[in-house]
Every structure is written in structure tokens, then in C-alpha cells.
Amino acid sequence: MINENIKRLRVANNITQVELAADLGVSKQCISNWENDYIQPSIEMLIKLAEYFKVSTDYILGLDDSNQINVDGLSDREIAHVRLLVEDLLNKK
């Protein structure tokens, strides 16, 4: 589950394994090993992944399937606009 969530987040953000590895300070092989479920990321790396993708560690672990958007620093009007965009996208399904 962790492996699938890491890969899903990476692909959704259009990031290669090489790019993610460079950004996190690990090897491309390390990312590949996580995604192929050969090894698990350390707790410290799990936290870095969550911060990098702006999700909770519970989301990566598969304990929480809600995906949240960080709206810190946005005005109330901007937050309302984001809500409308999300609602529009959800209604298209």
C-alpha cells in the first residue's frame, strides 16, 4: 500500500524517480525499491515524503484516504474559489 501511494503521488505530480530522489537526497534505486515494495521508507523519510507531496503520513501509509489541499496563506475569497473549483471537478464525475 505504501509503495502504491508513493508511486501514485509521484506520477500524479509528473515527477520522475530521478527527480524525486534528487529532491529527497536519496538514490533513484531507493525510490524504485520503495515503489516495488522491496523496502519501506524510514520514519524520517516518510515525513519528508509527506511534506514533499503536501499530504499526511497517514495518507501515504494508507490509513486515511482523504487527500487535503493546504490553503494556508490564502484569503477567504481565494479559499472559496478553490472550493468551487473542487466542487466543479467532483460534479464532472
Side-chain angles (χ1 to χ4, degrees):
M1 174 127 354
I2 295 171
N3 62 314
E4 294 166 358
N5 289 338
I6 293 171
K7 184 172 184 175
R8 185 178 304 113
L9 286 165
R10 181 181 60 74
V11 171
N13 285 278
N14 200 29
I15 299 168
T16 66
Q17 287 184 343
V18 172
E19 291 169 327
L20 181 58
D23 290 344
L24 295 178
V26 298
S27 68
K28 184 255 184 214
Q29 186 64 39
C30 186
I31 303 298
S32 178
N33 284 337
W34 293 343
E35 291 185 1
N36 288 305
D37 206 22
Y38 297 140
I39 61 171
Q40 302 291 317
S42 66
I43 293 171
E44 292 80 13
M45 200 52 63
L46 184 66
I47 293 168
K48 280 187 175 185
L49 284 163
E51 290 171 348
Y52 183 86
F53 289 115
K54 296 179 177 42
V55 297
S56 69
T57 53
D58 281 354
Y59 181 81
I60 295 174
L61 292 169
L63 300 174
D64 179 8
D65 63 357
S66 65
N67 200 346
Q68 300 176 358
I69 298 172
N70 183 350
V71 294
D72 291 345
L74 297 181
S75 69
D76 289 340
R77 182 181 173 111
E78 292 166 329
I79 292 170
H81 186 70
V82 170
R83 279 196 185 106
L84 288 174
L85 288 171
V86 171
E87 287 173 13
D88 285 347
L89 291 170
L90 289 172
N91 288 330
K92 288 184 179 183
K93 291 185 177 185

